[in-house]
Amino acid sequence: MLSIMILVILGGLNPGAQAVPDEAVGRVVSVISADSLGIEMQISDPRTRGVDSIRLADILAPSTVTAEGKAAQKAAELLLKNQTVYIDIDDSSNEGRNEWGQLVCVIYLMDSRYRPIWPPVNRRLVDEGHAYLAEDNSNEFDSSAWWKDPIPQGSVGNMLRYKEIMSGAREAAGGQDSANKSSVLEMSSAGRVSIGYRT
């Protein structure tokens, strides 16, 4: 029941909103390297597949054939394996993918109230020395914004979809009021967060 409620709450995300890390939600099932992951989608975007290959935007991890790369992979695995994350997919590339078919993304861990945790995982891996900054001007992200405080921009969400999902959850729960929690966009006291998009 709790897992259904979590998915219902996460279902209140607005995939079309700009500057909110809510295009998809998934569980990290594999860590290929510190910058390449396998994620099982729980809330998908039209560009995602059931289990998808993710490339973290604007960072470069050392190769896993080196000791440094193996250590970085292990650190990323400890941070991410089996964690549910928000996924922001690059809107500048074809279907959000690079030339190897990986989704180019910025990802965020979530707190106990389903809010994205600042800073993004991409920056954390750089800060912790497990990857290097490798700005790619062909994607929509501006990694320099990762080192700035998030900028409140007001709360915007797809409330019609959210209300439909919550109504369905109440009916499935036998009329119990499962709507006492808000969508991730309402729960954040800061509202929407600018996560560094090119203008």
Side-chain angles (χ1 to χ4, degrees), residues 2 23 34 58 65 93 107 118 123-124 143 162 176 187:
L2 180 60
E23 291 176 317
D58 294 341
V65 299
S93 55
I107 66 170
W118 186 264
R123 171 191 155 177
R124 287 186 62 178
S143 61
Y162 174 70
Q176 295 176 6
M187 292 167 75

Side-chain angles (χ1 to χ4, degrees), residues 16-197:
Q18 264 195 343
V20 178
D22 64 359
E23 291 176 317
V25 174
R27 183 177 63 88
V28 178
V29 294
S30 63
V31 178
I32 294 94
S33 66
D35 59 7
S36 295
L37 311 170
I39 297 184
E40 177 183 33
M41 297 301 160
Q42 295 174 334
I43 297 175
S44 58
D45 178 271
R47 298 168 287 181
T48 62
R49 301 174 185 139
V51 175
D52 220 326
S53 179
I54 304 294
R55 171 82 166 132
L56 296 179
D58 294 341
I59 67 170
L60 181 62
S63 169
T64 55
V65 299
T66 66
E68 183 184 21
K70 288 176 184 167
Q73 177 190 25
K74 184 66 174 169
E77 190 171 77
L78 289 172
L79 175 66
L80 296 168
K81 187 76 183 272
N82 293 318
Q83 294 294 316
T84 302
V85 294
Y86 290 108
I87 305 162
D88 188 5
I89 303 167
D90 177 32
D91 294 326
S92 297
S93 55
N94 184 23
E95 294 294 310
R97 296 182 184 276
N98 64 16
E99 58 270 28
W100 298 282
Q102 298 170 297
L103 284 173
V104 177
C105 302
V106 175
I107 66 170
Y108 297 80
L109 293 170
M110 63 178 67
D111 69 14
S112 62
R113 293 181 64 199
Y114 316 110
R115 295 174 299 191
I117 297 173
W118 186 264
V121 169
N122 305 48
R123 171 191 155 177
R124 287 186 62 178
L125 292 170
V126 172
D127 284 348
E128 295 169 10
H130 307 304
Y132 307 96
L133 194 59
E135 183 73 27
D136 180 355
N137 292 325
S138 67
N139 67 41
E140 71 173 304
F141 307 110
D142 178 7
S143 61
S144 68
W146 300 343
W147 281 268
K148 298 176 184 172
D149 289 334
I151 303 166
Q153 296 183 342
S155 181
V156 174
N158 186 339
M159 293 313 296
L160 179 60
R161 179 174 178 225
Y162 174 70
K163 287 176 185 176
E164 288 172 4
I165 290 169
M166 294 311 291
S167 295
R170 278 193 297 276
E171 290 170 13
Q176 295 176 6
D177 184 14
S178 59
N180 58 359
K181 293 192 178 191
S182 299
S183 76
V184 68
L185 299 176
E186 289 182 306
M187 292 167 75
S188 171
S189 61
R192 288 177 57 198
V193 171
S194 170
I195 56 175
Y197 291 86

